[in-house]
Amino acid sequence: MTDRKAVATDDARVCLLLGAGGRLGRNFCRYLGTRYRIAAVYRTAGDADAVRRQERVIDPLAPDRPPPEPRTHFYPIVADLADPYSARRIAELALAAFGHIDLVVNAAVHYDLGPGTSTAFLERLPYQLVINVVRPLQVAVEVYRQSWQATPEENRRNRRNVINLSSVAAFNVYPDSGRLGYSAGKAALTMASRHLASELEPAGIRVNALAPNTFPGIVSVQQVLAALCDLDSGSTTGEVRVVDRDSTDSIRREETKKKGDSAPCRTEP
């Protein structure tokens, strides 16, 4: 296992972000990069290299001098979630980079639309479920096993938690849209989040699901990020929070075990 050491000393929370190259992941890094230190998981090296290039430090008065070790809020990780060993490696790398993890955001998603009557689609369905459901849960459990399991009081004190990105598709049928696999995966992730909330509560870990409507088409990215920050800074667990068209009625709580005030999150550029 990789040796662990903290490489940053500020008070920003550490987030392990799956799906950093996706729509939510990119905006999370863009708008919340100063609020969190982010271990950002990318599927391809190209996306991760783009982050590294942006973080390079050059002294304009001595451009040929080797750059200093960057004090960065971002640590890119390249991992293929189809690899059954990727969850353990992701957790190890994130913990080695920052020393601890306060928040796991599972925003990885694989879209594969098709009718349930298609043999070819059903043969591809297990892959979609692995990427959208199984591997994100395994990453959260690996963080629990490698770091959170033995520190319940510290976990409670630091409000450590998991937020799984679900969707309103978990609760609705969209005829002739080919969303059987996507909806089934999001429904499974939603219920798995609620079960995991119950199982991890003794360790002081909260688990919630965030279920937005289509963004940025129907709801804004800022709405989704604000709801995510609210879940992180609050005290609820076992919650499914829906973000929908009407921003004043966009949150639905389902069987929450804890409720509390939460700090506002600014997501303006």
Side-chain angles (χ1 to χ4, degrees), residues 47-269:
D47 289 334
D49 287 342
V51 175
R52 289 190 182 100
R53 286 194 296 271
Q54 292 171 1
E55 293 176 347
R56 189 180 178 191
V57 178
I58 297 177
D59 183 348
L61 301 180
D64 296 328
R65 181 183 301 168
E69 186 70 22
R71 182 178 181 276
T72 177
H73 282 267
F74 292 91
Y75 180 76
I77 298 172
V78 178
D80 183 357
L81 295 183
D83 180 353
Y85 300 102
S86 60
R88 179 184 299 176
R89 175 175 171 271
I90 288 168
E92 287 180 352
L93 289 174
L95 288 166
F98 292 117
H100 68 276
I101 294 171
D102 300 304
L103 169 66
V104 175
V105 175
N106 286 320
V109 63
H110 173 71
Y111 294 99
D112 187 354
L113 305 181
T117 55
S118 166
T119 300
F121 170 75
L122 292 178
E123 289 176 347
R124 299 192 307 269
L125 182 58
Y127 178 84
Q128 185 170 192
L129 295 178
V130 165
I131 302 301
N132 293 356
V133 185
V134 177
R135 206 69 75 223
L137 293 174
Q138 287 180 328
V139 169
V141 170
E142 279 295 334
V143 173
Y144 163 76
R145 292 176 60 189
Q146 294 184 31
S147 179
W148 291 342
Q149 189 172 15
T151 58
E153 293 307 317
E154 179 181 318
N155 297 335
R156 293 187 182 93
R157 185 169 61 251
N158 290 285
R159 308 188 318 277
R160 289 174 177 161
N161 68 106
V162 178
I163 300 175
N164 292 318
L165 183 65
S166 183
S167 167
V168 294
F171 321 117
N172 300 294
V173 174
Y174 303 94
D176 303 317
S177 67
R179 298 192 191 183
L180 183 154
Y182 178 76
S183 293
K186 291 303 185 183
L189 185 63
T190 298
M191 289 307 301
S193 300
R194 297 173 72 181
H195 280 278
L196 199 60
S198 176
E199 294 185 25
L200 297 188
E201 184 181 22
I205 300 300
R206 298 179 295 111
V207 183
N208 297 292
L210 183 62
N213 208 326
T214 303
F215 62 92
I218 295 178
V219 298
S220 70
V221 173
Q222 285 77 9
Q223 279 179 276
V224 179
L225 291 176
L228 189 153
C229 288
D230 190 63
L231 284 172
D232 178 40
S233 60
S235 58
T236 61
T237 191
E239 176 178 338
V240 181
R241 185 168 295 194
V242 175
V243 183
D244 215 332
R245 194 183 305 268
D246 185 348
S247 60
T248 61
D249 297 317
S250 64
I251 296 175
R252 180 175 74 203
R253 290 189 168 94
E254 296 189 358
E255 296 184 12
T256 58
K257 300 185 72 173
K258 298 177 182 177
K259 293 186 179 181
D261 297 330
S262 39
C265 173
R266 296 184 180 273
T267 58
E268 293 84 356

